[in-house]
Amino acid sequence: MPKTPVGIISFNRPKYLFDCCKALQPQCEERDVYFFQDGPFKDSHIKEIESNLEIFAYFFPSGIVHKQESNLGIGYHTKYARETLFEKYEAITTIEDDLVLCPWYVEMIDELEITFRDNEFVGMVNAFAGNTIRERNSINDQKNNIGKMCQMDHSLAPLVWRDKYSKIQNNLLGYYETIKNINYVNKDSIKTQILDYWRKKGVNRITISQDSAIVASMLLAGQVNISTSTNNLSYIGKVGVHGDPRAYDDYGFGRWPTYPEKTTNYNCSQEELKQIYKSMLAKYGI
């Protein structure tokens, strides 16, 4: 079976993209790497986008580029990237340009793909617990939980399967229609419409982000998203179009330690998956 591809989703932050590509490149020998570059909505973005394209070409001269002429926004651009990759591949990994993967991240994702591909209960997997379970922030707590999976309440560098994603598309249709033609910066202007859409679906506690939309859609489809209990990437996106330095600091993104080595033998029993699913249903008010 061919290796799953990696798709980088990018907009206008060359400095972050350089660090992202530098960490990813050694992990992607004999693997297709795609670059999804969103278009500008300001003249100042044009030069940044040109720099992005140069950076990607430097690290991945044989990579495949999809460049938008106008701005789709992070929601639709990620949707485009995912669905473009699914035209060719059964399983894919997407990463945003402000993620720096540990040297073994892609290898861990390959192993998780094999472990959970036939489990219909699992919708997405990744190798970044973040602060999903806050007591696991420390290296020692991560070490004590090696081999265990926990809930993934985000979509940072996930692996997604085409057949499982197809089961959530109907739940996502109304969300994408609501954010259509709305720049991400102005998404708060349609907050009420987004929340009303999800309440009608039976989701009573949710944010307006695409991450939450995907998690909620997975839950409604009877699927759960899971992560390793260790952190195997760094989120560096402190500044950006939809980045808030204060929120980055308050939420603790820069304080989540990455585990110092690759860990293996992750698995999750059906009973454990049911407990994670039940917990997520409660969190989302479903």
Side-chain angles (χ1 to χ4, degrees):
M1 184 175 179
K3 295 179 179 179
T4 58
V6 175
I8 303 172
I9 300 168
S10 187
F11 179 39
N12 72 327
R13 298 180 293 181
K15 183 180 183 301
Y16 291 159
L17 177 64
F18 184 93
D19 292 341
C20 173
C21 290
K22 183 179 180 181
L24 179 63
Q25 191 273 334
Q27 305 183 52
C28 289
E29 293 183 8
E30 301 179 4
R31 186 184 303 268
D32 292 340
V33 180
Y34 288 73
F35 187 60
F36 295 93
Q37 173 62 58
D38 205 358
F41 62 85
K42 292 181 180 179
D43 289 343
S44 60
H45 296 153
I46 296 174
K47 186 174 181 179
E48 295 165 330
I49 288 171
E50 291 173 350
S51 295
N52 279 355
L53 294 168
E54 292 173 0
I55 289 167
F56 179 76
Y58 173 78
F59 284 103
F60 301 100
S62 299
I64 303 111
V65 175
H66 288 256
K67 179 178 177 289
Q68 302 296 328
E69 295 304 318
S70 58
N71 188 263
L72 294 181
I74 185 64
Y76 262 87
H77 193 216
T78 302
K79 178 178 183 289
Y80 170 82
R82 192 178 292 121
E83 294 176 0
T84 297
L85 292 171
F86 278 141
E87 290 176 1
K88 183 176 180 180
Y89 305 96
E90 295 181 5
I92 63 171
T93 297
T94 56
I95 67 173
E96 293 184 29
D97 57 8
D98 54 6
L99 300 179
V100 176
L101 308 184
C102 290
W104 49 82
Y105 189 92
V106 174
E107 186 178 357
M108 288 184 72
I109 286 293
D110 285 345
E111 293 170 0
L112 292 171
E113 194 279 325
I114 293 170
T115 299
F116 293 105
R117 69 167 62 140
D118 295 324
N119 193 320
E120 295 184 0
F121 202 9
V122 178
M124 296 196 309
V125 295
N126 85 342
F128 178 71
N131 73 339
T132 299
I133 301 177
R134 290 184 180 273
E135 64 268 22
R136 292 185 184 169
N137 270 347
S138 74
I139 293 295
N140 190 54
D141 286 325
Q142 291 182 54
K143 182 177 181 179
N144 290 338
N145 288 282
I146 287 175
K148 297 179 181 178
M149 303 296 289
C150 62
Q151 67 187 41
M152 175 172 59
D153 192 15
H154 54 72
S155 56
L156 297 178
L159 179 133
V160 194
W161 292 271
R162 178 171 58 195
D163 59 340
K164 298 176 182 183
Y165 181 78
S166 69
K167 296 176 182 178
I168 73 169
Q169 286 184 295
N170 286 339
N171 290 327
L172 286 172
L173 282 176
Y175 172 76
Y176 283 120
E177 280 300 310
T178 303
I179 67 170
K180 193 173 184 178
N181 300 320
I182 298 293
N183 184 280
Y184 198 97
V185 178
N186 301 317
K187 202 164 67 171
D188 280 343
S189 66
I190 53 169
K191 181 176 181 178
T192 299
Q193 294 97 303
I194 293 174
L195 296 181
D196 284 347
Y197 170 76
W198 287 116
R199 288 190 188 102
K200 291 175 183 177
K201 288 281 187 180
V203 183
N204 296 298
R205 287 192 294 274
I206 190 172
T207 70
I208 63 175
S209 73
Q210 180 181 219
D211 281 18
S212 291
I214 291 172
V215 173
S217 296
M218 290 281 186
L219 292 171
L220 291 172
Q223 298 176 6
V224 64
N225 304 332
I226 55 175
S227 168
T228 62
S229 53
T230 53
N231 294 332
N232 297 279
L233 64 78
S234 297
Y235 173 58
I236 60 173
K238 189 170 185 175
V239 178
V241 170
H242 52 278
D244 181 344
R246 187 187 310 176
Y248 181 94
D249 292 335
D250 290 347
Y251 205 61
F253 287 119
R255 299 192 297 273
W256 299 344
T258 55
Y259 202 71
E261 60 186 9
K262 181 191 172 190
T263 53
T264 57
N265 299 319
Y266 282 92
N267 214 323
C268 202
S269 69
Q270 289 300 102
E271 186 57 37
E272 289 171 325
L273 288 172
K274 289 177 183 178
Q275 289 302 314
I276 294 173
Y277 182 68
K278 182 178 179 180
S279 173
M280 293 299 290
L281 289 176
K283 182 174 183 177
Y284 278 72
I286 299 175

